[in-house]
Amino acid sequence: MYIVVSIAILATMVLALTRALMGPSVYDRVLAANVFGTKTVMLLSVTAFLYGRPDFLDLALAYALVNMVGILAVLEFFQKRSRRKAELEDD
Amino acid sequence: MIDILIDVFSWVLLILGGVCVLIGGIGGLRLPNFYTRIHAASLTDTMGAILIFVGMMLQSGLTLATLKLFAIMLFLLLTGPTATYALANAALLSGLKPDTGSNHDEVEKEEPAE
């Protein structure tokens, strides 16, 4: 049964990657990367149960922390950039 | 008897979580513009995560693994909506307007040959 769930998560990761490659705007790509990161955490947790190795849960926890900080840093960068561009157009 | 019930219930939760994740993934690829795609992606972050993690918690019983699963789930539930909010905020501030009609704007821009 865990294998069904992991296949569903893997299919979603492929779909998110497709959106990240297609995505017309930067924000579509960031959204797809965010989905991909969250799905990685879930896939690691399911893998821990699939192979009966609970150590993988620590990896999932660490990956969740790293993913969150990465997404917020990228968003801060693009938000600052667009604000600076708007100020330049005003002047 | 109660063990079998818990087993069946957790498998149902896991399968429903997988379905939610898949629906969110398809929606993120197929929906027409950015703000609707956010809606699909946040479905996988909240509903799918809750269902899958609660299903695994029921499977593992009262162990350290349950505590770790609970911590991961709590963290995902705190950060997922925060990241989605920050993303929508950044997109709105950068001038990406929400569409009020069913406007497939990007598709028309991408295929000028037709």
Side-chain angles (χ1 to χ4, degrees):
Chain A
M1 269 320 172
Y2 288 122
I3 200 108
V4 177
V5 180
S6 51
I7 287 172
I9 294 175
L10 274 176
T12 305
M13 286 168 95
V14 172
L15 292 173
L17 263 189
T18 318
R19 173 48 74 190
L21 291 176
M22 278 168 53
S25 69
V26 171
Y27 300 102
D28 282 300
R29 294 176 209 272
V30 177
L31 179 69
N34 189 16
V35 168
F36 193 83
T38 318
K39 292 297 133 336
T40 310
V41 174
M42 285 159 76
L43 185 66
L44 276 172
S45 312
V46 174
T47 312
F49 277 78
L50 184 63
Y51 292 117
R53 292 177 65 182
D55 333 341
F56 273 52
L57 290 177
D58 298 333
L59 299 183
L61 200 52
Y63 198 86
L65 288 160
V66 171
N67 185 39
M68 169 71 184
V69 173
I71 292 292
L72 284 186
V74 169
L75 282 177
E76 187 67 23
F77 171 72
F78 281 115
Q79 207 167 338
K80 275 229 180 83
R81 194 183 68 167
S82 62
R83 207 176 294 151
R84 213 174 301 138
K85 208 185 286 172
E87 276 172 15
L88 280 179
E89 281 167 7
D90 281 349
D91 288 346
Chain B
M1 184 62 202
I2 198 88
D3 286 351
I4 299 173
L5 273 182
I6 287 179
D7 239 19
V8 169
F9 190 57
S10 72
W11 291 133
V12 169
L13 285 182
L14 277 170
I15 295 296
L16 276 181
V19 170
C20 268
V21 166
L22 205 55
I23 289 174
I26 295 171
L29 190 63
R30 295 272 302 154
L31 283 174
N33 57 50
F34 173 69
Y35 292 96
T36 51
R37 270 175 231 137
I38 280 188
H39 163 67
S42 57
L43 173 76
T44 69
D45 277 1
T46 52
M47 196 66 193
I50 290 175
L51 288 174
I52 288 181
F53 279 108
V54 170
M56 288 196 293
M57 273 188 230
L58 286 179
Q59 279 286 315
S60 63
L62 275 178
T63 51
L64 185 62
T66 310
L67 199 67
K68 282 180 192 167
L69 281 176
F70 187 73
I72 297 173
M73 187 180 87
L74 201 68
F75 195 76
L76 279 187
L77 286 186
L78 283 177
T79 60
T82 311
T84 309
Y85 163 74
L87 186 63
N89 198 20
L92 195 64
L93 281 181
S94 79
L96 196 65
K97 292 273 185 298
D99 268 330
T100 45
S102 59
N103 189 358
H104 296 246
D105 45 359
E106 291 99 358
V107 178
E108 281 168 17
K109 228 180 284 170
E110 276 176 5
E111 297 168 4
E114 289 180 9

